Amino acid sequence: QVHLVESGGGLVQPGGSLRLSCAASGRIFRIHGMAWYHQVPGKERERVAAVGTGGNIDYADSVQGRFTISRDYAKNMVYLQMNSLKPEDTGVYYCKAVVDGVPYWGQGTQVTVSS
């Protein structure tokens, strides 16, 4: 079994920053890719940033230039540095990892951007 645990969410004012972390643990041979998704009530989960096995990175247009994804391969962790936060960034952020060909999700961490 594989577990993903996110942390780092919270309440921040518009223009502020947060750093999310996600740690993968359990029976892991290889993590093929890791990503962060954003979800608000009533809408589908949307991918905001992803990093592949080879280090290739992709961002959603809505976060390009503001968010930075990074990965620590040795620690099986992925991070999301979120700068210049906007109220529309509010929601639950989920970590996803494809481990040995199987996708796993974390429980999510709430981010609220409000003055």
Side-chain angles (χ1 to χ4, degrees), residues 20-41:
L20 306 183
S21 300
C22 172
S25 62
R27 294 175 62 86
I28 298 172
F29 177 69
R30 184 177 183 184
I31 300 178
H32 299 274
M34 302 186 83
W36 288 95
Y37 285 72
H38 174 232
Q39 188 170 30
V40 297

Side-chain angles (χ1 to χ4, degrees), residues 4-103:
L4 301 180
V5 178
E6 301 101 332
S7 61
L11 172 65
V12 63
Q13 293 186 343
S17 298
L18 282 175
R19 186 185 191 225
L20 306 183
S21 300
C22 172
S25 62
R27 294 175 62 86
I28 298 172
F29 177 69
R30 184 177 183 184
I31 300 178
H32 299 274
M34 302 186 83
W36 288 95
Y37 285 72
H38 174 232
Q39 188 170 30
V40 297
K43 292 190 176 182
E44 292 188 359
R45 204 170 289 186
E46 295 183 338
R47 193 177 78 177
V48 295
V51 55
T53 303
N56 50 302
I57 290 175
D58 181 63
Y59 295 103
D61 290 343
S62 60
V63 307
Q64 183 76 44
R66 300 189 298 121
F67 291 9
T68 302
I69 189 171
S70 60
R71 183 173 166 182
D72 187 326
Y73 291 82
K75 296 181 179 179
N76 291 332
M77 294 191 69
V78 65
Y79 306 94
L80 186 67
Q81 178 65 44
M82 305 188 294
N83 298 330
S84 302
L85 282 161
K86 304 175 181 180
E88 52 263 42
D89 295 321
T90 294
V92 180
Y93 285 76
Y94 295 90
C95 173
K96 177 185 177 182
V98 179
V99 181
D100 302 323
V102 179

